Every structure is written in C-alpha cells, then in structure tokens.
Amino acid sequence: MIERGSQKVVALGGGHGLYASLSALRRVTDRLTAVVTVADDGGSSGRLRRELGVLPPGDLRMALAALCGDDEWGQTWSRVVQHRFRSQGDLHGHAVGNLLIVALWELLGEGEAGAAMPEATVAGLDWVGRLLGAQGRVLPMAAVPLDIVADVQGADPARPEEVVQVRGQVACATTPGKVLSVSLVPPDPPVCPQTLQAIEEADWVVFGPGSWFTSVLPHLKVPELARALIGTRARRIVALNLAPQPGETDGFSPQTHLEVLQAHAPDLRIDVVLADRGVVEDPDALEKAVRMLGGRLMLADVAAADGSPRHDPARLAQAFAQILRE
C-alpha cells in the first residue's frame, strides 16, 4: 500500500495514456491536476464539437473517470460516464460522460455559437468531478477547440519523399506517412487561468505516456502553456510509452521520443525519464538522450504482467512514488 503524499502534481496528455498516468498518480498524491488536450475531432467528441461548438469532451471525460476512487461509488460512476450508447439512431456511439459534461457547460453559461465560456468550462468539469468523487481536478489545455496540423512525409506511398500537411487529430494519428512535426490551429489559443496556476504551483509536472504527436507534444505548441511549463519551478517527469503508436510513431525507439520532444521544445529541461526496463533495448543510448535533456533515467517494471503494451496502475504508482520521494 502506497501512502499518498501532498506534493502538487500536474499530469499532461490525453486519451488512454493520460488515463494510465492518472490511475497511478491518484494513488501517490492527494493534490493531482490533469491538463488535457482539446483537439479530438473524431467519434462522439467530434460530433459534439461540430454540432455545438464546444471543447471536445472525450479526453476530459476519460481523465475524470481515471480519477475515480476504487470504492463502489467511484467505480460505478466511472463505468457510467464511460458507457457508450448502442443503437441504430443518433445516440449511437455517444458516451454518457460526454453528454453530461456538455449539458453542464450549457447550463452554467454559454458564449457565442453555444460554446461555453472558460469559467463555465472549468466549473462544469469541477461539478462532474464532485459527482464522481474524483481524486483530483481536470482542466483543459486551452479554452477553445484546437486542430492539430502535422507535417507528414510519405503520406502518399507513391511519393515517399514528399512532405504534406495533414489536419485533424484523427487524420494525424492514422496517417500512413511519417509524422515529422505538429502545430496547432489557432496557433496562440487562450489558456484557462486555472491551468496556468496549477502549473505555476506544481511540485512535479508529468508528460506522457500517450500518443506522442497528438496527446503529449501539443501542450508544448500552445505558447502561453509552453512558457508556463518551461518557467515553472516544478520538476519534470517524462513517462515513456511501452510501444510505438501505430500510424504515429512507428519505428520510434525510446530515445527517438525524447529527441522529438527536444526538437519541439528546445528550452524544456527534464529531471527524470521513466521507462519500462523490459522494452528498452539500448539503455546506454537512452541514458545519453536523457542527459541531453538535463535529466536522469529511471528503469522500472511498469508494464502489465500479461505482456500487453499497457501500463499496470499499481506498478506505475510504485515508480512514481519512488521518484517523488527522491
């Protein structure tokens, strides 16, 4: 059993990667904040975003579900907000939590074209967190919906050297080409004050695991957010993925992930890089890449025991706890 500490931790990302880190970190600290990407344009989130002009709620919902406790209340509500309708009609594929979040945004205050104002956006997420008994807070990366634009080489197999731009999170995550870099539209979006305050007051900031180009790196492409992440007094952890992301980081070694991170944010210094010892084929090369970022490498057994490429929450929590103690 890990005794939860009181260090302030901010975890950044989106989707299943952030879900994994939050499921672990909530066991380690009672002062946890998730800062979540808002660029999803597919599925239920994309439909709500296009129809109502709101932030895509899906990654925010997943973060809230990850923060639910292990008691009956927490696990029941976690299942409820993650539940997707199955039908032949318009509700098919919508997640209950997405609809709940958007309903609160509409009730608490609307801006132009039905989009919630930043104050209502944060308040709505806080209300859902209270209902779920979430062990932490969830905040958006930006106050407006974003589009990811990727420079992709070889998107057309007939022109393997050609570099083109691909727009949209789903398109970037599934492109058959090699993603070279990402940017955002709009390029300088507003950021909620609560998000900046959480980073300023943090003791630790955690990047990853997660889809590198569509969940992790976008945080560093929001200028105001990037300045906060570079300037914060907090120490910084990078938790590496267990396997390359199909269609996004195929062929990437662990050290390639760090090289891409440095290319997108040259001024960002990292204190600790956490990697699973079972997937690192060249520890010396990875350690060299970590030193280039100013940090140290920690190898630990954090993968699920069944051999699948997913993090085990308890093992990951033990590794985070050790880092925070040191």
Side-chain angles (χ1 to χ4, degrees), residues 4-11 25-34 67 135-137 198 201-204 233 324:
R4 291 204 301 172
S6 59
Q7 296 190 68
K8 295 180 180 179
V9 179
V10 173
L25 286 166
R26 68 174 171 82
R27 305 167 186 228
V28 175
T29 178
D30 57 9
R31 304 175 79 179
L32 177 59
T33 301
L67 292 174
Q135 298 172 6
R137 193 181 196 190
E201 296 177 355
D203 298 303
W204 290 89
R233 65 176 179 83
L324 267 60

Side-chain angles (χ1 to χ4, degrees), residues 108-140:
L108 293 171
E110 295 179 352
E112 296 180 3
M117 300 298 287
E119 297 81 6
T121 296
V122 173
L125 294 170
D126 286 344
W127 271 103
V128 178
R130 289 165 63 186
L131 173 65
L132 272 56
Q135 298 172 6
R137 193 181 196 190
V138 173
L139 298 170

Side-chain angles (χ1 to χ4, degrees), residues 14 19 32 39 52 54 58 67 71-72 83 101 113 169 186 198 203-204 215 219-220 232 279 296 306 309 311 321 326:
Y19 187 97
L32 177 59
L52 301 174
V54 295
L67 292 174
D71 59 356
E72 184 181 13
H83 176 74
I101 291 169
Q169 183 176 20
D203 298 303
W204 290 89
S215 291
H219 291 84
L220 297 165
T232 179
V279 302
R296 65 178 178 89
D306 61 7
H311 288 83
E326 295 174 354

Side-chain angles (χ1 to χ4, degrees), residues 164-245:
V164 299
Q165 286 197 330
V166 174
R167 180 164 176 165
Q169 183 176 20
V170 173
C172 294
T174 58
T175 177
K178 178 182 178 182
V179 179
L180 303 177
S181 63
V182 291
S183 58
L184 298 174
V185 176
D188 192 4
V191 179
C192 294
Q194 296 91 336
T195 300
L196 297 174
Q197 182 180 1
I199 293 169
E200 180 183 356
E201 296 177 355
D203 298 303
W204 290 89
V205 171
V206 180
F207 298 88
S211 301
W212 217 240
F213 284 104
T214 54
S215 291
V216 178
L217 295 179
H219 291 84
L220 297 165
K221 303 307 292 184
V222 176
E224 197 172 10
L225 190 59
R227 286 192 293 270
L229 291 167
I230 292 168
T232 179
R233 65 176 179 83
R235 285 164 287 181
R236 304 168 187 87
I237 303 171
V238 171
L240 289 175
N241 294 332
L242 299 172
Q245 186 81 11

